[in-house]
């Protein structure tokens, strides 16, 4: 059988990553702004409403002037799905991604927030590399890329628990709400909450991160998890943390749950928090 | 009501600020975050002078984005203040009056705020594009090798802030949340 291989030049990947790094940080989707507007209409705290209005103003300035909505333009988290019929030519995939990050953060005037050694030197790499790369080989002859720059403030408030199956849905909800409660004003509320359930110690955190790349406010296709998303959102908004933590009824804009199979003995849950900017953008080559 | 405040901060200005107040700040302030604080502590250990006059000074916990051509500065919003909790009381002992950041402070910091008649303000987190609009000048002062973590003297005009911790021991996060908490 003849096999058709599609050749993709590594420079195409670099160009696309560069564009996505800049756009994700500067161009917040109209849909997300609409969600903040809706939250503003429902927010009970006058100070909270004023804060939400200023966030909207900020996001519009970012788009008009093509500057990042937040100065923390994050580590560049890159999800890349490579079709198995694709042959990348003229360079390696990882080099191409890192070159795209290097160019995007330079040409987009984005902040370089990566240090090489995490403990001793903590020297800034000055070009925001290396990227955090999650690669999957999939069917087909395309490359799908999502760039999700991740800021430090909200990331630091994230948590993982290896629950037992006996803890059930209630145990998961308690852990998610407790994590958000403890974070309080730190992750720049209103936040988006990514929840991973299932898999292993490593897999569950990836699910939580992936959950943050969904369209804001979209639901899990399984109605049971969709209901859990709604319940969690309601409980989180009853915490009273409010916009920027000064009290109010809008603590989170959305809760997204992603799940995977897991061991008979386990029920891992991970909570990855993002701020109201929640930057990410995708494209297909 | 919005209170207009100018730097350097005095005991009288600080005494007038209460947790939850909305403030418009004008004057010179200094950027400093994790790495710059670490170096400043080393200077104090050696009995050396700090890179700026800390008496009555206000620090802004921020690592701005680079300025685009024609701009004074890139996006500049607050970073999480809690990471500077280890260092803040020592700076307040040396005369630091104001801190700008976001997120909660430790009890040690809150105690030092009361003891030294200081104030902790929050700027709008995740709104760096808006924050940059209030910054009229930016002059590097020290540690340029740290990139976004360098100490920079900023002149801000009507920079919108909210008082989180005042010199009377109040906390706008705790008190604000209590009003809306239903669980």
């Amino acid at each position: 059988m003849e096999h058709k291989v599609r050749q993709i030049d590594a420079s195409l990947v670099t160009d696309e990553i560069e564009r996505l790094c800049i756009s994700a940080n500067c161009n917040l989707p109209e849909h997300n702004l609409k969600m903040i507007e809706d939250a503003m209409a429902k927010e009970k705290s006058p100070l909270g409403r004023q804060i939400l209005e200023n966030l909207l103003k900020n996001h519009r300035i970012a788009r008009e002037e093509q500057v990042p909505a937040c100065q923390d333009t994050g580590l560049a988290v890159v999800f890349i799905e490579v079709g198995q019929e694709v042959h990348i030519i003229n360079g390696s995939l990882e080099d191409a991604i890192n070159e795209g990050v290097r160019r995007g953060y330079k040409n987009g005037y984005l902040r370089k927030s990566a240090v090489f050694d995490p403990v001793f030197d903590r020297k800034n790499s000055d070009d925001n590399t290396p990227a955090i790369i999650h690669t999957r080989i999939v069917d087909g002859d395309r490359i799908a890329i999502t760039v999700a720059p991740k800021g430090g403030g909200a990331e630091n408030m994230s948590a993982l628990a290896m629950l037992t199956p006996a803890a059930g849905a209630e145990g998961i909800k308690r852990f998610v709400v407790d994590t958000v409660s403890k974070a309080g004003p730190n992750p720049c509320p209103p936040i988006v909450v990514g929840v991973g359930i299932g898999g292993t110690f490593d897999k569950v955190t990836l699910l939580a991160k992936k959950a943050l790349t969904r369209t804001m406010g979209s639901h899990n296709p399984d109605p049971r998890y969709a209901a859990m998303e709604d319940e969690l959102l309601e409980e989180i908004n009853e915490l009273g943390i409010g916009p920027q933590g000064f009290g109010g009824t809008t603590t989170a804009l959305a809760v997204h749950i992603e799940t995977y199979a897991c061991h008979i003995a386990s029920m891992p849950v991970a909570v990855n928090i993002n701020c109201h900017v929640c930057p990410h953008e995708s494209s297909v080559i | 009501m919005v209170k207009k405040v100018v730097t350097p901060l005095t005991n009288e200005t600080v005494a007038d600020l209460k947790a939850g107040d909305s403030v418009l700040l004008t004057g010179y302030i200094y950027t400093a975050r994790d790495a710059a604080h670490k170096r400043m502590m080393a200077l104090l250990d050696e009995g050396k002078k700090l890179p700026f006059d800390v008496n009555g000074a206000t620090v802004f916990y921020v690592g701005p984005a680079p300025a685009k051509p024609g701009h004074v500065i890139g996006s500049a919003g607050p970073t999480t203040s809690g990471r500077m909790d280890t260092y803040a009381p020592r700076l307040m002992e040396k005369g630091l009056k104001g801190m700008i950041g976001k997120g909660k402070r430790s009890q040690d910091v809150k105690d030092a705020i009361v003891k030294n008649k200081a104030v902790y303000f929050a700027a709008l987190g995740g709104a760096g594009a808006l924050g940059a609009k209030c910054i009229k000048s930016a002059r590097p002062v020290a540690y340029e090798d740290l990139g976004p973590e360098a100490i920079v003297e900023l002149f801000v005009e009507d920079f919108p802030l909210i008082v989180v911790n005042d010199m009377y021991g109040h906390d706008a996060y705790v008190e604000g949340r209590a009003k809306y908490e239903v669980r």
Side-chain angles (χ1 to χ4, degrees):
Chain A
M1 200 177 81
E2 200 193 340
H3 218 70
K4 258 242 154 68
V5 171
R6 181 180 170 216
Q7 293 198 334
I8 295 181
D9 199 285
S11 69
L12 279 182
V13 174
T14 296
D15 290 348
E16 206 48 23
I17 295 275
E18 173 182 357
R19 189 184 70 77
L20 291 172
C21 284
I22 299 171
S23 189
N25 276 300
C26 303
N27 301 319
L28 269 62
E30 197 54 51
H31 168 80
N32 297 21
L33 269 56
K34 180 77 175 51
M35 289 201 65
I36 297 175
E37 267 172 30
D38 291 350
M40 203 166 85
K42 282 189 279 180
E43 174 57 54
K44 287 193 181 141
S45 152
L47 179 59
R49 285 198 296 274
Q50 187 194 311
I51 289 169
L52 293 172
E53 195 178 348
N54 280 328
L55 296 182
L56 281 171
K57 208 187 281 180
N58 177 75
H59 299 345
R60 296 213 171 94
I61 291 172
R63 224 163 29 183
E64 278 158 27
E65 298 190 0
Q66 285 298 291
V67 294
C70 177
Q71 76 290 337
D72 188 352
T73 50
L75 283 185
V77 178
V78 177
F79 290 95
I80 186 155
E81 294 184 347
V82 183
Q84 61 184 14
E85 313 304 333
V86 170
H87 177 211
I88 292 160
I89 56 166
N90 296 325
S92 86
L93 180 65
E94 288 212 358
D95 288 349
I97 293 171
N98 280 318
E99 183 58 22
V101 168
R102 196 170 285 127
R103 288 186 200 168
Y105 277 72
K106 179 171 183 284
N107 299 336
Y109 297 90
L110 307 179
R111 195 180 80 184
K112 288 78 180 169
S113 311
V115 292
F116 274 127
D117 180 84
V119 180
F120 298 107
D121 310 331
R122 291 196 68 86
K123 194 177 159 5
N124 200 303
S125 69
D126 290 331
D127 60 8
N128 221 49
T129 66
I132 307 294
I133 306 170
H134 301 294
T135 313
R136 267 186 78 206
I137 306 295
V138 297
D139 286 344
D141 64 354
R142 289 164 183 228
I143 298 179
I145 304 171
T146 296
V147 174
K150 193 67 174 75
E155 190 75 354
N156 285 349
M157 296 296 111
S158 303
L160 164 73
M162 301 304 287
L163 299 181
T164 60
E170 280 312 307
I172 287 169
K173 281 165 67 181
R174 203 175 313 127
F175 177 69
V176 175
V177 175
D178 279 354
T179 302
V180 174
S181 179
K182 273 186 217 149
N186 289 22
C188 296
I191 55 173
V192 179
V193 185
V195 180
I197 306 172
T200 45
F201 181 79
D202 50 325
K203 178 77 177 178
V204 74
T205 54
L206 189 57
L207 290 170
K209 175 129 287 131
K210 199 85 199 278
L212 292 173
T213 65
R214 272 172 31 193
T215 299
M216 198 190 282
S218 61
H219 279 97
N220 187 293
D222 183 327
R224 296 168 301 174
Y225 290 107
M228 195 191 265
E229 288 169 341
D230 287 340
E231 288 156 24
L232 278 169
L233 183 61
E234 196 181 323
E235 289 188 27
I236 286 167
N237 285 335
E238 284 173 356
L239 288 170
I241 296 167
Q244 299 288 310
F246 288 106
T249 50
T250 317
T251 299
L253 294 167
V255 178
H256 298 165
I257 297 174
E258 289 293 313
T259 67
Y260 199 75
C262 71
H263 193 280
I264 49 173
S266 309
M267 196 176 67
V269 52
V271 182
N272 197 199
I273 299 180
N274 224 342
C275 66
H276 52 91
V277 178
C278 198
H280 59 89
E281 196 167 322
S282 307
S283 74
V284 176
I285 299 176
Chain B
M1 202 192 71
V2 179
K3 289 179 179 167
K4 293 242 184 187
V5 173
V6 294
T7 63
L9 300 179
T10 62
N11 280 345
E12 293 70 46
T13 338
V14 171
D16 188 41
L17 298 172
K18 311 271 160 58
D21 282 354
S22 288
V23 167
L24 291 173
L25 187 79
T26 296
Y28 288 102
I29 60 174
Y30 297 89
T31 73
R33 44 178 293 154
D34 311 57
H37 273 81
K38 204 172 166 188
R39 288 196 189 174
M40 286 196 285
M41 294 303 121
L43 287 179
L44 291 179
D45 287 344
E46 294 164 22
K48 290 183 181 159
K49 273 180 69 178
L50 294 175
F52 59 91
D53 183 7
V54 77
N55 220 347
T58 297
V59 291
F60 182 13
Y61 303 137
V62 61
K68 281 179 110 168
H71 289 223
V72 170
I73 199 164
S75 293
T79 193
T80 312
S81 310
R83 296 196 315 276
M84 271 55 77
D85 281 355
T86 335
Y87 314 118
R90 203 164 166 200
L91 290 180
M92 282 186 260
E93 294 288 338
K94 294 283 170 195
L96 182 79
K97 280 285 187 196
M99 292 158 284
I100 303 169
K102 54 124 176 159
K104 49 196 168 186
R105 308 309 300 264
S106 67
Q107 195 54 49
D108 280 353
V109 171
K110 293 184 203 177
D111 292 345
I113 287 172
V114 173
K115 189 178 158 210
N116 299 290
K117 296 191 170 60
V119 61
Y120 168 50
F121 304 100
L124 208 51
L130 190 63
K133 293 272 176 205
C134 303
I135 299 170
K136 304 301 172 187
S137 73
R139 183 179 68 89
V141 169
Y143 314 145
E144 282 186 78
D145 62 299
L146 293 177
E149 297 206 64
I151 295 182
V152 179
E153 180 192 73
L154 305 177
F155 187 83
V156 293
E157 213 172 86
D158 289 339
F159 188 23
L161 305 172
I162 298 166
V163 177
V164 180
N165 295 106
D166 62 26
M167 59 175 264
Y168 307 102
H170 290 284
D171 186 320
Y173 288 140
V174 174
E175 290 163 22
R177 180 171 174 178
K179 275 191 228 164
Y180 296 93
E181 193 164 18
V182 288
R183 47 182 294 111

